[in-house]
Amino acid sequence: MMDWTDRHCRYFLRLISRHALLYTEMVTTGALLHGNRSRFLRFDPFEQPLALQLGGNKPTDLAQCSRLAERSGFQEINLNVGCPSDRVQNGRIGACLMAEPALVADCIKAMRDAVSIPVTVKCRIGIDDMDSYEELHAFIEQVAAAGCETFIVHARIAILNGLSPKENREIPPLNYDRVFKIKENFPNLEIIINGGITSIAQAKELLTRVDGVMVGREAYQNPYFLAAVDREFYACENSPLSRAQVLENFYLYAERELANGVILKHMTRHILGLYQGLPGARKFRRYLSEHAHCHDAGLDTLHEAVALVESLPGAVITGENHVSKYQQVF
């Protein structure tokens, strides 16, 4: 989710689900140790529960970054061993590390020794010609021996030579059975499945075979998908916020960030899918895409976009009393 799940996105998603575990975009160790550290470690406490996903291949660097993450308040650190992008491969991190399980094991041990919070791994079911169950089993076994107890497995192989990152999310066929078999062979490990999950019903079915599900593209492109998560998976009896109520709360956040110099488009690009599947959704997306980048774009721009949604005639009601009522739902 590089360039997707930044802090603005996570705040927005947290308004829809109070309990789903959220992950940052993948952050390289170099970015944390030598770049704008605040940009990647900063988050609003409202975003919790929150995990930091790291990309790296040097145990000492990963250990140092893990300490930074723990001190910053993240509840989990996830090592990405599944991203197939070119820039990741050029740094010898991400999915190409599946070919080096001993190195991944060394990284996990160093990270676990450095912190007390959980350290997890996100991987693929294979890469390139390493596409057998036996090779995946050997990878999981070696990394688990280093202390990793949770694996998030994207149920596709990654073709590192020949497919783009986008194609790697769509072209290699899903193989859920391979992930199910990993869970059967490693019953003491927490196995979380990822890839192609687009409905609550599908997630429920998968949870009969594994310990958890991770949703990426569907949660970003159709974020209100998450509205049923708290009720269906966390036994939350409160009704989810409506889309209008989500926006009421998001207005407050956007107003605060605008006052701090954040450009509106950096926030609204993450909410374009809020009305996915409803009348007026295209107008909403188009208006924000065309106007939120303007230097003078503010809350009025967001109000005007919402007013275009046919299923919600007129702009969303605003006001302190309404916002307070909606926040109590949490």
Side-chain angles (χ1 to χ4, degrees):
M1 307 297 284
M2 293 175 69
D3 301 322
W4 287 19
T5 53
D6 63 18
R7 63 186 182 89
H8 306 305
C9 175
R10 299 190 304 262
Y11 193 99
F12 168 64
L13 295 179
R14 181 59 71 214
L15 289 169
I16 303 173
S17 170
R18 286 297 296 120
H19 298 287
L21 175 61
L22 299 179
Y23 285 76
T24 69
E25 56 191 319
M26 185 180 73
V27 182
T28 65
T29 53
L32 280 188
L33 298 178
H34 309 296
N36 186 348
R37 185 175 299 176
S38 174
R39 173 191 169 192
F40 297 110
L41 294 181
R42 177 185 174 191
F43 63 88
D44 191 295
F46 180 69
E47 298 172 36
Q48 295 281 19
L50 181 63
L52 175 70
Q53 186 176 88
L54 289 175
N57 61 16
K58 296 181 180 178
T60 53
D61 288 352
L62 284 164
Q64 186 174 348
C65 289
S66 296
R67 294 188 193 97
L68 292 173
E70 185 174 43
R71 287 201 295 266
S72 297
F74 289 95
Q75 296 187 7
E76 175 188 319
I77 305 165
N78 179 258
L79 178 62
N80 187 305
V81 192
C83 181
S85 76
D86 291 340
R87 55 177 166 166
V88 165
Q89 291 184 58
N90 291 337
R92 195 167 148 254
I93 62 177
C96 61
L97 284 178
M98 289 199 69
E100 301 183 69
L103 175 57
V104 176
D106 289 342
C107 291
I108 290 297
K109 184 180 186 308
M111 295 166 72
R112 280 181 50 84
D113 288 346
V115 298
S116 60
I117 58 178
V119 175
T120 65
V121 164
K122 186 174 189 292
C123 64
R124 293 274 182 146
I125 59 172
I127 56 170
D128 295 330
D129 295 332
M130 297 178 59
D131 185 23
S132 69
Y133 176 77
E134 290 72 24
E135 287 165 314
L136 176 62
H137 184 285
F139 174 84
I140 297 288
E141 185 174 47
Q142 189 162 358
V143 177
C148 184
E149 299 176 349
T150 298
F151 291 82
I152 304 165
V153 187
H154 187 152
R156 288 185 174 93
I157 67 166
I159 307 298
L160 302 181
N161 298 302
L163 293 184
S164 69
K166 182 179 185 298
E167 291 170 331
N168 264 303
R169 294 192 295 267
E170 300 170 349
I171 293 178
L174 288 163
N175 188 343
Y176 291 152
D177 287 341
R178 189 174 294 182
V179 184
F180 298 156
K181 191 172 181 181
I182 286 292
K183 178 58 188 177
E184 291 171 1
N185 289 165
F186 296 94
N188 295 327
L189 295 180
E190 182 180 39
I191 303 298
I192 298 170
I193 198 165
N194 172 235
I197 301 166
T198 59
S199 73
I200 295 296
Q202 182 187 12
K204 282 187 170 182
E205 178 63 25
L206 290 169
L207 283 172
T208 65
R209 305 291 300 274
V210 292
D211 302 299
V213 296
M214 173 183 272
V215 182
R217 279 177 295 161
E218 185 67 17
Y220 191 88
Q221 296 168 359
N222 180 24
Y224 203 67
F225 161 89
L226 296 174
V229 164
D230 292 355
R231 180 182 66 248
E232 297 294 338
F233 301 111
Y234 296 95
C236 182
E237 296 182 358
N238 291 332
S239 298
L241 297 187
S242 68
R243 290 175 174 85
Q245 292 168 335
V246 168
L247 283 174
E248 278 284 356
N249 287 273
F250 191 70
Y251 288 149
L252 292 179
Y253 175 79
E255 184 175 37
R256 182 185 74 195
E257 293 299 312
L258 286 167
N260 290 329
V262 175
I263 300 173
L264 184 66
K265 70 174 181 179
H266 293 161
M267 296 177 279
T268 56
R269 71 187 182 96
H270 300 301
I271 74 172
L272 297 180
L274 180 60
Y275 292 101
Q276 179 74 18
L278 296 182
R282 183 176 297 179
K283 295 179 181 178
F284 174 77
R285 292 194 301 269
R286 181 181 299 166
Y287 191 89
L288 284 179
S289 297
E290 293 177 352
H291 295 86
H293 70 280
C294 298
H295 73 277
D296 58 347
L299 287 185
D300 287 347
T301 303
L302 186 51
H303 282 291
E304 289 160 2
V306 173
L308 296 172
V309 180
E310 296 173 5
S311 60
L312 296 173
V316 178
I317 300 173
T318 59
E320 182 178 350
N321 291 337
H322 291 283
V323 173
S324 297
K325 179 180 68 176
Y326 296 152
Q327 289 178 326
Q328 288 172 7
V329 175
F330 298 131

